[in-house]
Amino acid sequence: MMFPEQPIPDHVAPELVSKDFPFIFGVTTAKDPFDELAMQVHEGPDIIYAAHAYPGGTGAWVPRRMAHLREIYLDTDHFSSTDFSPFSKLVGGNWINSPAELDPPAHGPFRQMVNPAFTPKAMAALEDKIRQYAVEYIDAFALRGECEFMGDFAFEFPIKVFMELMGLPHDRMSEFMAWEMNLLHNHDLSKIAEATRSVLAYLGGEIEDRRAHPRNDLISFGVQGQINGRALTDDELLGFMFNLFIGGLDTVSTNMGLHFRHLGSHAEDQAYLRANPSEIPHAIDELMRAYGAVTTFRTCKKETEVAGIRFMPGDKVAMSTTLAGRDPAEFDAPAEVRLDRRPRHVGFGFGIHTCVGMHLARRELRIAMEEFLARIPDFRIAPGHQVECHLGMIQPVALPLVWTPAS
């Protein structure tokens, strides 16, 4: 894909500029995003400036070392989470994705309001319902001997859980997924803006409905929530709901697709987990390390230096979990997947903005793997299929799996 030539800021040294940085929103590739593309980037400087790394094809700094990502995650004095996504600005809004895009001191009280809905105890109460949904989807295709994993399971299963939590109608799932695809996998800013408007209009209607008819769901939780003794403003509530929508409809599906892509092409790891199901939670951590999928963004607020590189106000920074997980300075033989590695990864973020839905995501990923391995015999990627992946948010476009059904 060709993007217009972008001006390079004067403070960026020419030798740090990468015009062929591969992880571009809206692009797909048949190359391996991890073993091939990520390791290519790791051959360069510790921090590069990629001319098209920010959504819409504009420039951003890209730190590739885990240590530098953690440093920037923690430095909220110099690096802001506000505007890490383009959605609000594209439609002329004043809201932000809360609490993900809030900086201190505003972040703490908002996160304190949100946390009770996502505690480990609250998520544990969903265990039986999550497992029921997983079993229903898997049993629907088990005897076929094949499935298109992304469409038949990876999207449908976690999104159904999320929609139940939000109190959203299951019969609109395909419409929500189409919006989400444009929000996170399209390079065309007009399409992103169109999807943003659609989501905002829909969520606005749901918010008004919960104000009149509160229920036991996350939208009602937001409507009834308070920060420092006051109700959320309209912009705060809309930003909170939009943030949940983005996180709930794609992230778990993405990671699940990458994990099963690995198991479908590594029979020895699949066999190990079948024989040792108690190791699945640890295996998921290693798979999240090896197949980091998410890039979020920071904006420099005040001039500062990281690893000898000068960052100026307004500079965007691409925080790539893909590169962090494959950092050879952090992990021995990073291209090797070792299911007993026990890595400290940043797949759920780091610092104050660690993913609020982490406990739900872990539970969904674990239950999906437990039930799939228990109910589906040895499976593999369909012969002859070359997996193509979205970049930016790295996700298999399609993942056909085949097996011999149990008699």
Side-chain angles (χ1 to χ4, degrees):
M1 177 177 295
M2 296 296 294
F3 286 99
E5 191 72 20
Q6 296 293 328
I8 304 299
D10 292 340
H11 63 283
V12 177
E15 64 271 17
L16 298 178
V17 176
S18 171
K19 294 187 178 180
D20 57 358
F21 180 70
F23 299 109
I24 306 298
F25 283 78
V27 174
T28 60
T29 183
K31 295 181 179 180
D32 189 299
F34 304 95
D35 292 340
E36 188 173 354
L37 299 183
M39 300 315 292
Q40 281 179 6
V41 177
H42 272 300
E43 294 173 1
D46 285 356
I47 299 177
I48 61 174
Y49 189 89
H52 305 293
Y54 189 70
T58 55
W61 289 106
V62 183
R64 66 181 180 88
R65 297 290 191 196
M66 176 75 84
H68 298 149
L69 260 75
R70 288 192 176 119
E71 181 179 348
I72 294 170
Y73 277 130
L74 294 176
D75 186 1
T76 56
D77 288 336
H78 293 95
F79 295 98
S80 173
S81 295
T82 301
D83 296 334
F84 82 48
S85 67
F87 306 114
S88 183
K89 283 190 173 181
L90 281 176
V91 296
N94 295 314
W95 53 274
I96 59 174
N97 290 329
S98 301
E101 292 189 271
L102 284 172
D103 295 326
H107 174 270
F110 204 113
R111 182 67 182 248
Q112 189 175 15
M113 183 275 294
V114 172
N115 282 342
F118 294 94
T119 62
K121 182 178 180 181
M123 296 302 99
L126 299 172
E127 175 93 7
D128 291 345
K129 177 65 73 172
I130 294 171
R131 195 172 296 278
Q132 174 192 331
Y133 285 158
V135 169
E136 287 173 357
Y137 278 109
I138 294 167
D139 283 353
F141 53 67
L143 295 179
R144 293 204 320 246
E146 63 180 10
C147 71
E148 196 292 284
F149 185 80
M150 300 306 297
D152 290 340
F153 188 72
F155 284 120
E156 298 264 341
F157 157 59
I159 289 174
K160 187 171 184 179
V161 174
F162 166 77
M163 292 173 74
E164 177 125 335
L165 283 171
M166 290 284 282
L168 300 178
H170 293 175
D171 61 3
R172 298 192 68 166
M173 185 180 296
S174 60
E175 186 177 16
F176 295 158
M177 288 171 58
W179 292 342
E180 189 82 358
M181 193 61 62
N182 276 323
L183 289 172
L184 296 178
H185 299 293
N186 202 318
H187 72 281
D188 185 335
L189 291 178
S190 67
K191 294 293 186 183
I192 299 173
E194 180 183 348
T196 300
R197 291 188 188 95
S198 296
V199 173
L200 291 175
Y202 182 78
L203 291 176
E206 292 296 308
I207 289 168
E208 290 307 311
D209 176 74
R210 298 312 188 280
R211 282 179 169 145
H213 310 287
R215 310 177 206 166
N216 183 25
D217 59 31
L218 286 177
I219 299 178
S220 299
F221 174 84
V223 167
Q224 297 167 350
Q226 292 197 336
I227 299 173
N228 294 330
R230 64 165 179 83
L232 276 65
T233 68
D234 288 345
D235 279 343
E236 286 173 336
L237 187 54
L238 196 58
F240 177 38
M241 291 302 115
F242 195 92
N243 187 53
L244 292 177
F245 189 91
I246 289 283
L249 262 67
D250 200 89
T251 309
V252 175
S253 303
T254 293
N255 283 292
M256 200 175 290
L258 294 171
H259 298 178
F260 276 79
R261 174 178 181 257
H262 176 87
L263 295 179
S265 55
H266 293 78
E268 70 284 2
D269 286 343
Q270 189 182 142
Y272 172 77
L273 292 178
R274 289 182 187 280
N276 301 279
S278 64
E279 292 299 305
I280 286 175
H282 298 304
I284 287 171
D285 276 327
E286 170 64 352
L287 292 169
M288 291 197 69
R289 190 278 310 169
Y291 302 109
V294 178
T295 296
T296 58
F297 293 87
R298 298 293 185 269
T299 303
C300 181
K301 296 191 291 186
K302 296 186 291 188
E303 181 178 351
T304 190
E305 283 195 6
V306 177
I309 301 298
R310 185 161 58 115
F311 291 75
M312 297 296 288
D315 286 357
K316 298 294 185 184
V317 186
M319 307 289 282
S320 170
T321 64
T322 310
L323 297 178
R326 293 299 180 113
D327 179 8
E330 183 78 13
F331 302 106
D332 175 51
E336 294 182 15
V337 174
R338 303 172 182 170
L339 298 185
D340 60 352
R341 190 191 288 261
R342 311 291 199 272
R344 290 179 63 239
H345 62 80
V346 289
F348 292 114
F350 186 74
I352 65 170
H353 288 291
T354 299
C355 176
V356 69
M358 174 179 68
H359 302 298
L360 174 61
R362 285 188 181 280
R363 193 169 299 275
E364 290 175 315
L365 291 168
R366 171 179 59 79
I367 290 173
M369 196 170 290
E370 287 172 351
E371 294 298 336
F372 204 95
L373 293 177
R375 293 169 179 276
I376 301 296
D378 296 347
F379 61 87
R380 65 190 187 282
I381 297 174
H385 179 79
Q386 184 175 26
V387 178
E388 185 177 3
C389 285
H390 296 285
L391 294 176
M393 171 82 81
I394 301 176
Q395 179 189 94
V397 174
L399 186 64
L401 301 178
V402 297
W403 58 90
T404 301
S407 55

